[in-house]
Amino acid sequence: MKIRSSEITPEHVYLARPSRRAFLKLALAAAGGAGLVACAPPAAPTLVGPTPAADGQTDELGDAVNRFEDIVNYNNYYEFTTDKAGVAGLAAGFTTDPWTVEVSGLVNKPKTFGLEDIRQAFTSEERIFRLRCVEAWSMVIPWNGFSLSEILNQVEPTSDARFVKFTTVSRPEEMPGLSNPLYPWPYTEGLRLDEAMHPLTTVATGLYGRDLLPQSGAPIRLVVPWKYGFKSIKSIVKIELTAEQPATLWNTVGPSEYGFYSNVNPEVDHPRWSQASERRIGEISRRATLKFNGYETDVADLYAGLDLAANY
Ligand SMILES: Nc1nc2c(c(=O)[nH]1)N[C@H]1C(S)=C(S)[C@@H](COP(=O)(O)O)O[C@H]1N2
Ligand SMILES: [Mo]
């Protein structure tokens, strides 16, 4: 167990900050993201110590952000290892530059973005989101990123496009976990197009005001805050617009345990454990899991009329 009690977040000493609910409202109204609080330019990446940029902040519910050390030393990234405490070490030398992201499929203007194109074309802002893993632990992470819709609008999905498929880089020489035969590599994920266009669906290139470290999905990853963490696919090299629902790694491995939607839902248990509560990293007692991970007012409309137990 990597998180020691000495590292427990002293929540009660954090200063009160303005509610982040205002941020969400703005984000939804603006849709394009204009007018939001821009984050400071990423500091030069360093490997140790929290930055004052996000330390002490809270999400819109008043929950303290997790410590930087916790966020970058307790990771799921199976391409490296299934040991959460071992990812950071194995991923330390991972090559993230140069990097390109191909956006293709059912679009009018397919485009391959270099990382610099992305940094220049889209303005990152700080977005503090809860991350709720399907394994029933959670963190609050201050990401730096922008809405995926900004990329999708540039490439112009055609009227046939209904889903978006994401693919992680596959580099066996740098990713020892790829030799694990239990998984259908490369890691893939998918969203319905309307989910992908939702302003909360975020492309992150940083956290705590600095560039993502490899273990967090450098140089570019997805963050879908109302879905279980495995939907937030790391180190993306391809984004494809499709007509059919794409196969995803977890849905392929265990369709009865990991549905395509995977919306956080305390009322629908995993077949092998309850999803009603969770362990927030840095806290002792468990806390109740919130429907749609607390983003219900923002996203419930996407699922109007859908049976969430059948469409888990
Ligand atoms: N490519 C890839 N993306 C991935 C994973 C993975 O193993 N490979 N793990 C997922 C899971 S299960 C979770 S909970 C989150 C964890 O993100 P974090 O390590 O930054 O907290 O990443 C998701 N994205
Ligand atoms: Mo997860």
Side-chain angles (χ1 to χ4, degrees), residues 12-221:
H12 54 282
V13 305
Y14 284 125
L15 299 169
R17 294 291 177 109
S19 164
R20 300 294 291 178
R21 180 61 72 188
F23 158 76
L24 294 176
K25 289 237 174 68
L26 256 179
L28 292 165
L36 300 177
V37 183
C39 73
T46 31
L47 294 178
V48 290
T51 63
D55 207 25
Q57 294 204 56
T58 64
D59 66 13
E60 86 286 2
L61 302 180
D63 295 356
V65 296
N66 277 90
R67 299 173 74 242
F68 181 78
E69 283 81 358
D70 291 349
I71 296 169
V72 300
N73 285 296
Y74 190 82
N75 301 101
N76 272 331
Y77 201 162
Y78 279 23
E79 286 89 334
F80 292 97
T81 172
T82 57
D83 167 20
K84 284 185 248 301
V87 175
L90 285 171
F94 182 63
T95 309
T96 57
D97 182 21
W99 194 275
T100 55
V101 183
E102 177 192 318
V103 190
S104 57
L106 300 175
V107 297
N108 290 324
K109 298 178 174 170
K111 183 169 177 177
T112 296
F113 294 87
L115 206 58
E116 280 318 304
D117 304 330
I118 290 175
R119 289 188 194 287
Q120 277 163 25
F122 310 106
T123 306
S124 274
E125 65 205 12
E126 183 174 79
R127 296 183 170 198
I128 300 179
F129 291 138
R130 296 170 291 287
L131 177 94
R132 191 351 181 127
C133 177
V134 74
E135 300 162 337
W137 55 267
S138 62
M139 295 200 201
V140 181
I141 303 181
W143 303 103
N144 304 103
F146 55 90
S147 294
L148 173 66
S149 64
E150 295 198 42
I151 293 183
L152 297 179
N153 285 334
Q154 261 206 20
V155 299
E156 295 179 10
T158 69
S159 54
D160 296 334
R162 289 180 56 232
F163 294 91
V164 186
K165 176 184 177 182
F166 306 86
T167 306
T168 294
V169 75
S170 174
R171 216 182 277 149
E173 46 319 339
E174 288 191 302
M175 297 171 133
L178 289 176
S179 62
N180 187 336
L182 293 177
Y183 301 99
W185 309 111
Y187 196 104
T188 51
E189 257 307 334
L191 295 171
R192 255 178 17 199
L193 182 56
D194 59 339
E195 296 176 318
M197 292 296 290
H198 192 283
L200 287 181
T201 301
T202 297
V203 173
T205 58
L207 67 81
Y208 256 96
R210 20 171 129 161
D211 292 351
L212 289 179
L213 293 174
Q215 61 267 40
S216 298
I220 182 168
R221 72 173 294 170

Side-chain angles (χ1 to χ4, degrees), residues 147-297:
S147 294
L148 173 66
S149 64
E150 295 198 42
I151 293 183
L152 297 179
N153 285 334
Q154 261 206 20
V155 299
E156 295 179 10
T158 69
S159 54
D160 296 334
R162 289 180 56 232
F163 294 91
V164 186
K165 176 184 177 182
F166 306 86
T167 306
T168 294
V169 75
S170 174
R171 216 182 277 149
E173 46 319 339
E174 288 191 302
M175 297 171 133
L178 289 176
S179 62
N180 187 336
L182 293 177
Y183 301 99
W185 309 111
Y187 196 104
T188 51
E189 257 307 334
L191 295 171
R192 255 178 17 199
L193 182 56
D194 59 339
E195 296 176 318
M197 292 296 290
H198 192 283
L200 287 181
T201 301
T202 297
V203 173
T205 58
L207 67 81
Y208 256 96
R210 20 171 129 161
D211 292 351
L212 289 179
L213 293 174
Q215 61 267 40
S216 298
I220 182 168
R221 72 173 294 170
L222 194 67
V223 181
V224 193
W226 71 94
K227 292 177 179 282
Y228 290 120
F230 64 82
K231 301 293 288 185
S232 293
I233 182 173
K234 295 178 170 181
S235 305
I236 296 168
V237 289
K238 195 171 182 185
I239 300 174
E240 243 180 307
L241 285 283
T242 67
E244 306 299 329
Q245 180 177 306
T248 71
L249 181 140
W250 283 108
N251 188 234
T252 303
V253 168
S256 62
E257 304 198 344
Y258 310 103
F260 179 78
Y261 283 98
S262 290
N263 294 314
V264 175
N265 193 341
E267 295 151 25
V268 178
D269 287 338
H270 186 279
R272 291 183 281 133
W273 59 85
S274 166
Q275 294 291 27
S277 71
E278 66 200 56
R279 182 173 61 93
R280 177 69 48 83
I281 300 303
E283 292 181 358
I284 308 279
S285 44
R286 294 180 77 84
R287 51 164 73 214
T289 288
L290 304 175
K291 196 162 187 181
F292 295 110
N293 204 21
Y295 302 97
E296 182 170 11
T297 54

